């Protein structure tokens, strides 16, 4: 009887050490089950031709194509001593050249006759402005007499094309899959039978057989639908269990006190809250009043007034006798928040101080670079309860920091923190404090359900009155250098009107930058990204001579950074040349222009964030996206999209459609393979929403999943292999 590999068996046993090593190192596949979940990227039909027209976007990528040989010729060079075989293949949409050299020309010359068809795999390169594959691997698709039986076997078969690598072509991976496919019958089905039948989904074993060896296109659709459900459901169960566990924790209800600090603060606000701010504040206050910890995500457009909403929540907690901590990702942002919160509160932020309000509290700052005396005082104010509000960086998480009674943790720009950091701060409460997570990066609903799935969501999408519109234009500096000259004239004009400007560059340029930074996409020119230090020097010598220009970047001494920011906020510095340290939270209403150099090197959401730093006062804002990329490039299309809309949710959708799924879920940085192989967070909104509903119901009925062993196994595998990487974003 044939050996059926166990699903957790190491591939070495089934495929041999050499192949197993390549699968493990290149594709992260270690067991038979891993290989069964390595799904084909697409399928080629014998009569169908793969699109060669799309290869222009895949320079340096490893591709597999199915095509027909148009012609083949051997050329000689070096006086006849060298031989080169050139084969042209076509698929109706385009043509592609294959080249073979030296002794390697004879076999392909014999195999690849005009009119024959084959699968080809290799790395796409460009030579003399033409796309080519050099020495591609190939697999003929029947035709010769000896191949006719084989050809008949897959006459109408769909040929799976697998994500491959240089050392293992798609058809070799297909043979590896054949070796483990019999084991699919032992796959543990994670879906509860009632759910599977109710949704009309095929059993897991059937789905695995159909995805790898489909007989028809309907088979592929059945398999995809089923496998998407698995991924969405298992992930949503993990998140639902986290929500359920959190909801079981006790918390101290925190209710505002009539006539207390919050009422005093509201009474001195020089404007009324927007409808959105009022609605979201009510959601937060309702959560704070419960006996279980709040877990809420507050997402708001740039400038929608999230900080104000968070501050009101913190004041309500201080009213109830508790303390609130705000965690910011950078010192610049922590200092900025501290400055703007103490300004908004006025004498209410000087509790216990001369001239402070008797209803006030102390608002302290805690960062890693603070001097020892100030730090000691801040720590003392926290442990005694003198300080009701603390704003800080990772320094807040340190063991030394102790609170009198921590009631609320506000995490700003959540995507910069992992769960451990968030939990480390929450563990400083006598009972679990309430949690409010803020992000200015608009997140489409499906991503919020996937990445932040353990949080309830509130959205602020209305800008406060008095906000000015921001006009955005692309400045093609290579095609039209006079446009760039005009951009600097515009900066000078704004400064002369009494306003200020930002110039953003992708690199610092202080000699410590990473020289291995990639050049921008489809940029033949290998020049490094423009740098803050160099651009500042060019501007002070040239177009902005005589204007107070300063630099700001992450490697400056914290005291210097704070000094520059303070002088910029005071209007002494007119033009700030900076890296993306100013991306979030920096609020200088007098700034009206932002020039982003090498704008093509930033992501869509990042450009939108940066742009939100201008137009914060009564004067209209202007954002100029400077790029050397040619007009037809994808990078320019991205910039045009940013220039065309101020709607952050629309832009985040565009951003996600243009990026790999792994990046969306923050997996790219972690180096962990995403466990979403079939599910696409943008396209599969319905599946994710339904899976969330089902998961919530299943966990409510059976939190420990005692009656669903298959689901428990799948969950253990997800949480074990991913080390809760998904949830890390929650």
């Amino acid at each position: 009887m044939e050996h059926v590999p166990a699903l957790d068996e190491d591939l070495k046993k089934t495929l041999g050490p050499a192949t197993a090593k390549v699968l493990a190192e290149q594709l992260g596949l270690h067991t038979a089950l891993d290989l069964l979940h390595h799904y084909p990227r697409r399928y080629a039909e014998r009569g169908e031709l793969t699109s060669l027209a799309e290869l222009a976007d895949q320079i340096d990528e490893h591709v597999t194509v199915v095509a027909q040989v148009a012609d083949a010729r051997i050329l000689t060079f070096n006086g006849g001593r060298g031989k080169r075989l050139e084969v042209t293949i076509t698929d109706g949409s385009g043509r592609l050249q294959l080249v073979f050299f030296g002794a390697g020309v004879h076999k392909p010359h014999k195999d690849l006759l005009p009119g024959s068809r084959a699968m080809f795999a290799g790395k796409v390169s460009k030579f003399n402005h033409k796309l080519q594959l050099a020495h591609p691997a190939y697999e003929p698709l029947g035709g010769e007499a000896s191949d006719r039986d084989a050809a008949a076997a897959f006459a109408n078969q769909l040929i799976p094309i697998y994500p491959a690598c240089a050392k293992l072509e798609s058809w070799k991976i297909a043979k590896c899959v054949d070796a483990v496919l019999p084991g699919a019958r032992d796959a543990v089905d994670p879906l509860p039978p009632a759910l599977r039948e109710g949704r009309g989904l095929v059993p897991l074993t059937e789905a695995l057989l159909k995805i790898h060896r489909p007989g028809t296109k309907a088979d592929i659709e059945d398999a995809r639908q089923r496998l998407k459900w698995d991924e969405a459901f298992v992930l949503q169960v993990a998140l639902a269990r986290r929500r359920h566990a959190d909801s079981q924790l006790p918390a101290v209800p925190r209710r505002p006190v009539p006539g207390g600090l919050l009422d005093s603060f509201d009474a001195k606000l020089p404007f009324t809250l927007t409808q959105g701010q009022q609605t979201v504040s009510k959601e937060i206050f309702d959560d704070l009043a419960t006996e279980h910890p709040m877990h809420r995500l507050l997402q708001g457009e740039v400038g929608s007034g999230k900080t104000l909403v968070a501050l009101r929540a913190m004041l309500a907690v201080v009213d109830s006798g508790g303390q609130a901590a705000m965690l910011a990702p950078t010192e610049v942002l922590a200092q900025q928040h501290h400055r703007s919160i103490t300004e908004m509160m006025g004498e209410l932020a000087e509790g216990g101080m001369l001239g402070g309000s008797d209803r006030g509290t102390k608002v302290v700052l805690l960062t890693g670079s603070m001097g020892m005396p100030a730090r000691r005082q801040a720590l003392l104010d926290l442990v005694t309860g003198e300080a009701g509000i603390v704003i800080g960086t990772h320094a807040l998480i340190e063991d030394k920091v102790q609170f009198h009674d921590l009631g609320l943790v506000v995490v700003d720009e959540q995507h910069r923190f992992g769960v451990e950091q968030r939990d480390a701060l929450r563990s400083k409460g006598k009972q679990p404090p309430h949690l409010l997570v803020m992000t200015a990066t608009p997140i489409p609903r499906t991503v919020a359900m996937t990445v932040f799935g353990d949080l309830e969501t509130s959205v602020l999408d209305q800008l406060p009155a008095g906000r000015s519109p921001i006009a955005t234009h692309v400045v093609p500096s290579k095609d039209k250098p006079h446009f760039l000259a005009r951009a600097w004239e515009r900066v000078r004009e704004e400064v002369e009107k009494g306003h200020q400007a930002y110039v953003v560059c992708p690199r610092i340029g202080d000699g410590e930058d990473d020289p291995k930074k990639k050049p921008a996409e489809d940029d033949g020119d290998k020049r490094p990204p423009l740098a803050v230090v160099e651009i500042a020097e060019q501007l002070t010598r040239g177009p902005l001579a005589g204007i107070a220009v300063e630099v700001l970047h992450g490697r400056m001494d914290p005291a210097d950074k704070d000094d520059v920011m303070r002088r910029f906020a005071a209007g002494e510095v007119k033009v700030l040349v900076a890296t993306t340290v100013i991306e979030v939270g920096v609020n200088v209403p007098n700034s009206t222009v932002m020039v982003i150099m090498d704008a093509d090197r930033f992501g869509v959401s990042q450009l939108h964030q940066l742009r939100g730093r201008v137009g914060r006062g009564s004067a209209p804002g202007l954002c100029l996206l400077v790029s050397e990329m040619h007009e037809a490039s994808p990078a320019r299309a991205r910039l045009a999209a940013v220039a065309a809309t101020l709607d952050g949710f629309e832009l985040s959708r565009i951003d996600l459609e243009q990026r790999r799924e792994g990046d969306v879920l923050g997996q790219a940085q972690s180096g962990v393979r995403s466990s979403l192989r079939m599910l696409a967070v943008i396209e599969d909104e319905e599946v994710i929403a339904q899976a969330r509903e089902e998961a919530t119901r299943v966990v409510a009925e059976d939190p420990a999943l005692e009656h669903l062993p298959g689901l428990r196994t799948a969950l253990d595998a997800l949480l074990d292999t991913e080390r809760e990487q998904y949830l890390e974003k929650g």
Side-chain angles (χ1 to χ4, degrees):
M1 195 180 135
E2 61 169 324
H3 166 68
V4 176
L7 292 178
D8 55 0
E9 194 168 280
D10 193 301
L11 288 170
K12 284 191 196 104
K13 285 190 184 172
T14 321
L15 306 174
T19 304
K21 186 170 187 244
V22 175
L23 286 169
E25 287 177 1
Q26 302 287 315
L27 298 168
L29 307 173
H30 303 277
T31 65
L33 189 62
D34 288 346
L35 189 49
L36 285 177
H37 286 304
H38 186 69
Y39 307 130
R41 179 178 284 145
R42 56 190 175 82
Y43 302 83
E45 293 177 76
R46 283 211 69 226
E48 172 213 41
L49 291 163
T50 312
S51 172
L52 295 179
E54 292 168 13
L55 295 184
D57 293 336
Q58 301 189 49
I59 304 286
D60 285 342
E61 294 277 322
H62 200 82
V63 299
T64 303
V65 296
V66 177
Q68 190 163 14
V69 177
D71 60 61
R73 57 201 173 280
I74 286 188
L75 307 171
T76 57
F77 54 94
N78 275 356
R81 289 194 300 280
K83 283 186 177 175
R84 181 169 84 240
L85 170 65
E86 288 186 358
V87 179
T88 306
I89 59 172
T90 178
D91 69 349
S93 78
R95 293 165 85 82
L96 180 66
Q97 190 157 296
L98 316 177
V99 289
F100 301 86
F101 294 97
V105 303
H106 303 296
K107 187 170 182 341
H109 193 219
K110 208 166 63 193
D111 293 340
L112 301 175
L113 300 171
S116 65
R117 291 169 50 72
M119 280 199 284
F120 303 91
K123 193 189 261 191
V124 182
S125 58
K126 221 174 194 178
F127 182 70
N128 280 343
H129 305 294
K130 275 189 181 165
L131 294 179
Q132 67 169 29
L133 298 183
H135 278 287
Y138 61 90
E139 179 92 330
L141 294 178
E144 294 300 308
S146 60
D147 285 339
R148 275 188 197 130
D149 293 343
F154 60 67
N156 298 307
Q157 191 182 334
L158 291 154
I159 303 160
I161 308 289
Y162 287 93
C165 60
K167 292 182 180 172
L168 211 58
E169 294 84 19
S170 170
W171 51 88
K172 288 183 183 163
I173 292 174
K175 286 172 185 163
C176 296
V177 170
D178 282 337
V180 300
L181 207 49
R185 69 176 88 141
D186 299 325
V188 178
D189 198 325
L191 293 192
L195 188 159
R196 184 171 61 71
E197 286 152 21
R199 299 263 169 201
L201 300 167
V202 300
L204 180 57
T205 298
E206 191 183 322
L208 290 170
L209 293 171
K210 282 181 169 178
I211 200 76
H212 290 292
R213 300 295 171 261
T216 63
K217 287 185 174 174
D219 284 352
I220 299 169
E221 198 37 52
D222 284 353
R224 278 193 171 144
Q225 217 31 46
R226 164 63 217 245
L227 295 166
K228 279 180 180 182
W229 254 95
D230 278 17
E231 290 177 6
F233 183 68
V234 173
L235 177 56
Q236 289 301 335
V237 166
L239 293 164
R241 288 186 76 192
R242 189 171 174 119
R243 285 197 303 276
H244 182 271
D246 283 341
S247 73
Q248 302 306 301
L249 296 171
V252 178
R254 308 283 180 174
R255 298 182 183 88
V257 176
L261 188 54
L262 177 62
D263 283 354
S264 303
F265 175 74
D266 283 350
K268 65 192 287 296
L269 277 178
F271 51 81
T272 51
L273 299 179
T274 64
Q275 186 54 53
Q277 286 173 323
Q278 289 174 30
T279 306
V280 170
S281 288
K282 184 181 182 321
E283 290 170 349
I284 292 171
F285 290 148
D286 288 350
D287 281 0
L288 288 174
T290 63
E291 295 183 352
H292 301 291
M294 164 172 82
H295 286 94
R296 192 163 281 281
L297 169 69
L298 169 56
Q299 38 170 332
E301 268 292 11
V302 180
S304 57
K306 290 182 304 301
T307 310
L308 178 62
V309 168
L311 175 56
R312 294 183 74 243
M314 293 197 283
L315 295 176
V317 169
V318 174
D319 269 347
S320 72
Q323 291 168 293
M326 182 186 254
L327 183 61
T330 64
E331 294 212 349
V332 167
L333 189 49
Q335 287 159 344
Q336 175 77 33
H337 275 319
H338 182 254
R339 229 182 344 262
S340 62
I341 283 173
T342 49
E343 276 167 20
M344 277 197 270
M345 287 177 65
E347 75 283 359
L348 296 173
E350 295 167 358
M353 288 188 256
L354 204 61
S357 163
D358 52 358
R359 285 206 189 112
T361 186
K362 231 179 185 184
V363 179
V364 299
L365 177 68
L366 189 64
T367 64
S369 65
M370 279 168 71
M372 213 46 220
R375 189 183 170 78
R376 216 175 271 128
Q377 185 59 51
L379 291 172
L380 185 66
D381 287 342
L382 287 178
V383 78
T384 59
E386 187 89 3
I389 295 176
V390 59
I391 295 145
T393 53
H394 294 77
L396 279 177
I397 298 166
E398 290 173 11
D399 294 343
K400 291 190 207 72
V401 181
Q402 289 180 337
F403 289 85
H404 178 65
D405 179 13
L406 180 61
L408 170 67
V409 172
V410 178
V411 181
D412 194 20
E413 289 309 316
Q414 161 65 21
H415 60 279
R416 314 240 186 142
F417 295 101
V419 157
E420 289 94 347
Q421 292 162 318
R422 183 180 93 182
D423 286 352
L425 184 50
R426 283 171 58 198
S427 69
K428 292 180 181 291
K430 289 172 185 152
Q431 280 195 320
H434 298 279
L435 174 74
L436 179 65
V437 165
M438 301 198 296
T439 176
T441 308
I443 304 165
R445 177 170 165 256
T446 42
V447 182
M449 285 191 290
T450 312
V451 186
F452 296 97
D454 63 337
L455 302 168
E456 299 301 323
T457 306
S458 294
V459 178
L460 269 180
D461 50 10
Q462 198 183 355
L463 291 187
R467 274 309 172 94
S468 304
I470 306 169
T472 309
H473 302 286
V474 179
V475 177
S477 54
K478 207 169 193 174
D479 312 345
K480 300 179 178 170
H482 59 289
F483 275 36
L484 182 58
R486 176 70 190 122
W488 300 128
E489 281 173 22
R490 283 291 290 115
V491 171
R492 191 174 266 285
E493 286 164 14
E494 286 299 309
V495 170
E496 282 165 3
K497 284 185 203 163
H499 297 305
Q500 291 161 277
Y502 297 100
V503 177
V504 178
C505 303
R507 199 162 60 91
I508 297 172
D510 60 356
E512 287 182 45
D513 294 25
D514 180 4
K516 297 196 279 287
K517 280 264 196 318
K518 280 187 189 162
E521 61 187 280
D522 47 41
D523 190 353
D525 166 21
K526 292 285 190 279
R527 100 167 151 66
L530 294 171
V532 166
V533 176
E534 291 149 22
I535 291 292
E537 200 176 313
Q538 286 169 24
L539 292 176
T540 45
R541 285 217 211 112
L544 302 184
I547 289 173
V549 175
E550 292 269 4
V551 301
L552 182 72
H553 59 74
R555 278 205 289 271
M556 285 166 63
D557 179 88
D560 294 344
K561 266 193 288 200
D562 197 36
D563 176 56
V564 170
M565 248 350 276
R566 191 172 275 116
R567 286 188 295 117
F568 186 64
E572 295 164 28
V573 173
K574 300 300 178 189
V575 178
L576 191 60
V577 184
T579 55
T580 53
V581 291
I582 58 145
E583 181 187 345
V584 285
V586 173
N587 183 26
V588 179
N590 192 39
S591 304
T592 52
V593 197
M594 173 164 290
V595 182
I596 303 178
M597 307 302 290
D598 279 346
D600 46 89
R601 295 176 193 253
F602 298 97
V604 169
S605 291
Q606 202 172 26
L607 291 170
H608 181 59
Q609 286 292 319
L610 287 165
R611 166 172 67 184
R613 300 302 112 212
V614 295
R616 299 174 81 87
S618 53
L622 173 66
C623 179
L624 302 173
L625 307 173
V626 180
S627 172
E628 291 188 355
M629 304 304 279
H630 55 83
E631 203 166 348
S633 65
R636 276 286 290 278
R638 211 168 57 227
L639 297 182
V642 175
T645 179
L646 288 170
D647 181 340
F649 286 92
E650 175 57 28
L651 286 174
S652 68
R653 188 169 268 273
I654 292 168
D655 197 13
L656 298 192
E657 283 165 359
Q658 291 181 343
R659 286 158 57 188
R660 295 199 321 279
E661 206 75 48
D663 295 344
V664 172
L665 299 175
Q667 296 290 335
Q669 298 81 344
S670 69
V672 173
R673 231 167 5 103
S674 162
S675 63
L676 294 195
R677 297 174 182 91
M678 192 59 79
L679 195 72
V681 286
I682 287 289
E683 291 153 35
D684 296 318
E685 181 162 342
E686 210 171 300
V687 175
I688 293 170
Q690 291 170 359
R692 182 179 167 106
E693 255 170 59
E694 293 278 11
T696 305
R697 188 181 54 72
V698 164
V699 170
E701 288 169 9
D702 181 5
L705 308 179
E706 284 170 15
H707 306 297
L708 298 167
L711 177 54
R712 217 167 50 235
T713 304
L715 199 61
D716 290 345
L718 171 77
L719 297 184
D720 178 49
T721 55
E722 302 289 331
R723 302 303 306 156
E724 299 206 9
Q725 282 287 335
Y726 272 109
L727 311 183
E728 206 125 289
K729 292 287 169 190

